[in-house]
Amino acid sequence: MKRIHPLLGVVLTTAITGSAHAALRVVTSLQDFASIAQAIGGDRVETFALAKGYQDPHFVDAKPSFILKLSRADLLIAAGLELEIGYLPPLIDQSRNERIHPGNPGYLDASIGCDILQRPTQIITRAMGDVHPYGNPHYWTDPENGRVVARAIAAKLAELDPDGKAAYEANRAAFEARLDVKEKEWDTKMAPYAGTKVVTYHESWPNFAKRFKLEIIGTVEPKPGIPPSPTHTLEIIDVIQRDKVPLILVEPYFDTKTPNYIAEKTGAKVIMFYPSVGGIPAIRDYFDLFDYDINAFVSAMAGKGR
Ligand SMILES: [Zn+2]
């Protein structure tokens, strides 16, 4: 048996438990990215999400405490595509932290490499108040995009903290292995409902719908970010009746008055559908997100009998 010098033993133990290095401070716009960053970074990172999963990710109240978090951040991960345009740029400026400015090494635009839907084909205009001018920014609702984000985070963390490269690689591999298993499970659960037509409140779900073969035939909002109007609501009622749409999926931060009215007129059922980790306490991580929503969808459909 080899003898370890008592002092050397102490040094080794410290290195292995990770307390010898300061954790990288990772700030994310969404809890979804914080969940993935935590899975990849393990104890080498500390994460903090600005928007909570129960808040509309387009419209976040900028708290003074966010500036402090950003001023100390080593890495900022944002969804991009202008999802955060309403609150993040002034916070970055006020943080006076050059590292995390877009274009600098401490900023990661998570949309890069992801499957982005509804890209504009003509000149971008905000004249209509559309909050999705560069394509749909809710792309993490496809778990395959979550995989792309996980790979980008692993590469970025290794760049900022080269000593952790092996750990990040191992964690990324474990994350992807788990995702492989879960995707099979989710696909199996959703397969019987392929082709189901749904109405959603906001355009949060095109990536989810593509992945799980649902057809979104309308939204309660006339355009992303524009509140329901009487004319548009009547059109949606017509479409739901014509196509016998069974479900209206509503994100947790919207008023259910209009969806409930539409449901009353049509017999469609309103269910809460959570676009982000933290939407409710039961959705603790990125895997829980799909587990929860898919189970909710399946039980609602089972109860519909149409
Ligand atoms: Zn949106």
Side-chain angles (χ1 to χ4, degrees):
M1 193 178 129
K2 279 186 191 167
R3 283 178 167 260
I4 296 174
H5 189 279
L7 266 178
L8 186 61
V10 170
V11 172
L12 282 175
T13 312
T14 311
I16 289 163
T17 56
S19 51
H21 62 82
L24 278 184
R25 295 185 177 118
V26 179
V27 175
T28 66
S29 61
L30 302 165
Q31 284 190 256
D32 309 272
F33 300 153
S35 169
I36 297 172
Q38 201 64 64
I40 304 300
D43 66 2
R44 300 185 75 89
V45 303
E46 267 169 25
T47 59
F48 178 80
L50 301 174
K52 304 308 176 213
Y54 49 82
Q55 295 175 319
D56 185 335
H58 288 284
F59 305 102
V60 174
D61 282 334
K63 295 185 194 161
S65 62
F66 292 174
I67 297 167
L68 186 64
K69 287 283 183 189
L70 288 167
S71 72
R72 293 172 174 174
D74 297 298
L75 174 62
L76 170 62
I77 304 173
L81 301 169
E82 295 210 342
L83 180 72
E84 297 95 352
I85 192 78
Y87 71 97
L88 193 53
L91 289 178
I92 295 174
D93 283 344
Q94 289 166 58
S95 78
R96 298 176 185 278
N97 179 354
E98 272 301 311
R99 280 181 306 226
I100 60 163
H101 269 263
N104 286 351
Y107 179 84
L108 179 63
D109 177 339
S111 73
I112 294 167
C114 287
D115 180 24
I116 305 301
L117 304 176
Q118 302 170 339
R119 291 256 197 210
T121 51
Q122 53 201 18
I123 295 164
I124 292 156
T125 168
R126 288 176 164 279
M128 300 301 289
D130 188 335
V131 293
H132 295 172
Y134 292 101
N136 194 286
H138 304 274
Y139 52 85
W140 65 91
T141 57
D142 177 349
E144 274 303 294
N145 280 340
R147 184 191 303 274
V148 173
V149 173
R151 288 175 182 172
I153 291 176
K156 178 54 78 178
L157 291 177
E159 178 193 322
L160 297 176
D161 169 29
D163 289 349
K165 189 169 188 216
Y168 301 136
E169 263 310 292
N171 291 343
R172 181 205 51 78
F175 180 89
E176 289 201 47
R178 189 168 171 213
L179 198 60
D180 290 340
V181 172
K182 293 302 288 187
E183 280 183 341
K184 285 198 185 82
E185 183 189 320
W186 297 328
D187 286 343
T188 304
K189 281 186 178 176
M190 290 300 284
Y193 307 104
T196 299
K197 292 173 176 168
V198 296
V199 162
T200 69
Y201 194 104
H202 180 80
E203 282 273 25
S204 308
W205 304 102
N207 286 93
F208 184 92
K210 183 183 175 192
R211 168 77 205 183
F212 296 108
K213 301 181 171 64
L214 303 179
E215 195 186 333
I216 298 168
I217 57 142
T219 54
V220 176
E221 288 180 334
K223 274 183 181 299
I226 305 294
S229 69
T231 323
H232 181 71
T233 299
L234 287 177
E235 285 165 10
I236 289 295
I237 288 171
D238 280 349
V239 168
I240 291 178
Q241 285 171 334
R242 186 192 68 205
D243 289 351
K244 300 192 165 35
V245 173
L247 298 179
I248 304 169
L249 312 179
V250 179
E251 297 83 348
Y253 34 80
F254 289 118
D255 190 344
T256 51
K257 197 176 117 219
T258 305
N260 285 339
Y261 173 77
I262 297 171
E264 210 176 280
K265 295 285 173 198
T266 60
K269 186 173 177 180
V270 172
I271 65 168
M272 280 292 145
F273 224 53
Y274 296 90
S276 278
V277 173
I280 44 166
I283 305 176
R284 291 156 306 178
D285 66 24
Y286 191 64
F287 295 98
D288 286 346
L289 178 63
F290 296 97
D291 278 340
Y292 193 93
D293 283 333
I294 287 171
N295 286 340
F297 184 91
V298 169
S299 27
M301 287 300 287
K304 280 301 289 185
R306 69 190 267 190

